[in-house]
Amino acid sequence: MIDYYENGNIQSRMEMNKDSILNGRMDTYYQNGNKKMTVFLVNEKVEGEMIRYFESGKVMSIENYSNHKQHGTSIAFYENGNKHFENNFYRGLEAGHQYEYFDNESNSIKYDTYIYLLGDKRKPNTTKIHGNRRRRTSVRAGQPRAAGRRDARK
């Protein structure tokens, strides 16, 4: 199925099965004709890679999904092509290393954080400081923990 903008440019292109259920590749576009997003769907649920684009046509982010939840590494970019964020997900929750980068030629790390999920045996609240930014994070049952709060389970 193809939808169009009033100016005649394609707005979206979707693959559907015989029951009109989104199944396969879906591409969306900006009014200027540049691609906005590419995603793969299985029974109308995101599965696999989703790529988003800036209106200029450059890649904005690459995200991975499993069973309609972010899973694996997701990378966001500045419009100049340098990495902005690199985050890891486990079944829809941020987990593992999370990085934010400076927007400069060296593309050096502003900060990185390791987010632990409940049941992870490693030491929680490990934060590395880069520049003047600091982030301290842990996840309990899928919710961010406020910095400074003691965990009663220790």
Side-chain angles (χ1 to χ4, degrees), residues 1-17:
M1 181 171 115
I2 300 175
D3 290 323
Y4 295 90
Y5 287 109
E6 287 182 15
N7 66 8
N9 287 342
I10 295 174
Q11 182 176 9
S12 62
R13 181 178 295 167
M14 303 167 243
E15 295 177 12
M16 299 179 135
N17 65 16

Side-chain angles (χ1 to χ4, degrees), residues 118-139:
L118 186 62
D120 196 332
K121 303 295 184 202
R122 291 168 281 202
K123 182 181 175 187
N125 295 327
T126 303
T127 301
K128 293 182 181 175
I129 301 167
H130 300 276
N132 59 3
R133 302 263 334 248
R134 182 177 181 166
R135 183 172 169 188
R136 185 178 171 142
T137 309
S138 181
V139 173

Side-chain angles (χ1 to χ4, degrees), residues 16 19-24 40-46 68:
M16 299 179 135
D19 299 321
S20 297
I21 293 174
L22 295 173
N23 214 9
F40 293 90
L41 302 163
V42 176
N43 294 323
E44 298 191 352
K45 292 184 178 182
V46 179
H68 206 64

Side-chain angles (χ1 to χ4, degrees), residues 48-52 61-65 70-71 73-75:
E49 195 172 71
M50 175 190 289
I51 303 173
R52 298 174 196 258
S61 66
I62 301 170
E63 303 166 13
N64 292 287
Y65 286 81
Q70 279 190 281
H71 189 78
T73 302
S74 293
I75 302 171

Side-chain angles (χ1 to χ4, degrees), residues 52-137:
R52 298 174 196 258
Y53 300 86
F54 289 104
E55 198 163 352
S56 65
K58 295 182 180 179
V59 174
M60 179 189 298
S61 66
I62 301 170
E63 303 166 13
N64 292 287
Y65 286 81
S66 178
N67 198 26
H68 206 64
K69 294 180 182 177
Q70 279 190 281
H71 189 78
T73 302
S74 293
I75 302 171
F77 299 91
Y78 291 103
E79 196 159 2
N80 67 9
N82 289 343
K83 280 186 189 178
H84 188 183
F85 292 102
E86 184 175 343
N87 298 326
N88 291 286
F89 290 84
Y90 179 76
R91 296 183 180 169
L93 299 173
E94 285 187 300
H97 276 286
Q98 314 297 319
Y99 300 101
E100 182 178 359
Y101 296 86
F102 287 103
D103 183 22
N104 56 27
E105 289 301 314
S106 69
N107 205 210
S108 57
I109 296 173
K110 274 188 191 179
Y111 65 83
D112 77 294
T113 301
Y114 196 97
I115 298 178
Y116 295 82
L117 294 176
L118 186 62
D120 196 332
K121 303 295 184 202
R122 291 168 281 202
K123 182 181 175 187
N125 295 327
T126 303
T127 301
K128 293 182 181 175
I129 301 167
H130 300 276
N132 59 3
R133 302 263 334 248
R134 182 177 181 166
R135 183 172 169 188
R136 185 178 171 142
T137 309

